[in-house]
Amino acid sequence: MSLSNRLGLLGRKVGMMRIFTDDGDAVPVTVLDVSNNRVTQVKTAETDGYAAVQVAFGARKASRVSKPEAGHLAKAGVEAGELLKEFRVAADVAAGFKPGAQVPVTTFAVGQLVDVQGTSIGKGFTGTIKRHNFGSQRASHGNSRSHNVPGSISMAQDPGRVFPGKKMSGHRGDVTKTIQNLDIVRIDEARQLLLVRGAVPGAKNGHVVVSPAVKVKAKKEGAN
């Protein structure tokens, strides 16, 4: 996808619900609040070496903002936000924005495919089988208390150690995840909400980044 179509929105996961189509079909959707996305900086190739639009979302107390960031936001004339991110775009697209301008929800359209990035829900410490979706061993015929364990992890006398990165027990979840090619079913311009079909990573009120899908073009070319 060209850089000119990569401008996205920052938001918050409100929760899930379902809506009904004209044919009576129930569609599960995730509601995303993308209100008050404001431009904090417009980067150009002349000053920064590349073109991008920096966007802020949410609100933050002035006491929670560092002095350098406060000066940066004051220069743009915008209030501090919970989330700050930049989107690489074409130079002509960046030229269409100025610091302090609003990025509307109509940046996207109904029927458009988007990629939604969020932080998955933490599951705490889990075993190897559950954490990595391994197949367990036999649960009978002498395999006492060993059916749900990974088994031997040794690597013989040579090399005589376990290589780093071995999939074992540990903390599960609480990582950055991106769900690709979610369909925008409905847009509420008045409340600046996006309703996307399917699930989005993270808990309610978690931050999300919505951007145009990057694999749509390749998928269409492969189908032809």
Side-chain angles (χ1 to χ4, degrees), residues 1-218:
M1 179 175 290
S2 63
L3 288 177
S4 60
N5 295 327
R6 294 305 314 280
L7 182 62
L9 292 172
L10 309 179
R12 176 179 64 91
K13 179 179 177 179
V14 179
M16 291 196 69
M17 58 178 290
R18 64 175 176 175
I19 59 176
F20 293 91
T21 64
D22 296 336
D23 298 330
D25 296 330
V27 180
V29 296
T30 303
V31 182
L32 305 177
D33 175 16
V34 292
S35 60
N36 196 20
N37 272 251
R38 61 258 186 207
V39 178
T40 57
Q41 184 182 7
V42 178
K43 296 189 176 182
T44 61
E46 293 77 15
T47 58
D48 303 282
Y50 63 96
V53 177
Q54 189 182 85
V55 182
F57 167 79
R60 177 178 291 181
K61 294 181 180 179
S63 60
R64 297 294 184 180
V65 181
S66 64
K67 288 185 177 180
E69 184 178 353
H72 174 69
L73 297 173
K75 183 178 179 180
V78 299
E79 63 174 338
E82 300 173 302
L83 199 59
L84 190 70
K85 183 179 176 62
E86 68 177 37
F87 297 93
R88 295 285 291 266
V89 295
D92 57 338
V93 176
F97 291 92
K98 293 183 179 180
Q102 295 287 326
V103 183
V105 68
T106 51
T107 301
F108 297 109
V110 175
Q112 182 178 354
L113 297 181
V114 293
D115 296 339
V116 183
Q117 182 185 85
T119 302
S120 62
I121 298 175
K123 302 294 184 180
F125 188 94
T126 57
T128 311
I129 305 298
K130 186 174 183 179
R131 187 186 187 197
H132 300 290
N133 197 28
F134 288 166
S136 60
Q137 303 177 34
R138 297 176 65 180
S140 61
H141 294 282
N143 197 14
S144 175
R145 297 185 298 176
S146 301
H147 62 280
N148 210 40
V149 296
S152 175
I153 62 169
S154 62
M155 302 187 71
Q157 186 171 353
D158 183 21
R161 64 188 180 93
V162 178
F163 289 138
K166 180 72 172 178
K167 292 183 178 181
M168 299 180 68
S169 304
H171 187 89
R172 181 183 178 208
D174 194 23
V175 294
T176 301
K177 288 286 186 179
T178 301
I179 304 299
Q180 296 181 321
N181 295 335
L182 293 178
D183 186 15
I184 296 180
V185 179
R186 186 176 298 174
I187 296 178
D188 189 335
E189 292 188 38
R191 293 183 288 182
Q192 301 187 57
L193 301 176
L194 289 177
L195 277 65
V196 297
R197 183 187 185 108
V200 167
K204 292 181 180 179
N205 296 320
H207 292 149
V208 295
V209 180
V210 186
S211 56
V214 296
K215 292 186 177 180
V216 175
K217 186 176 180 181

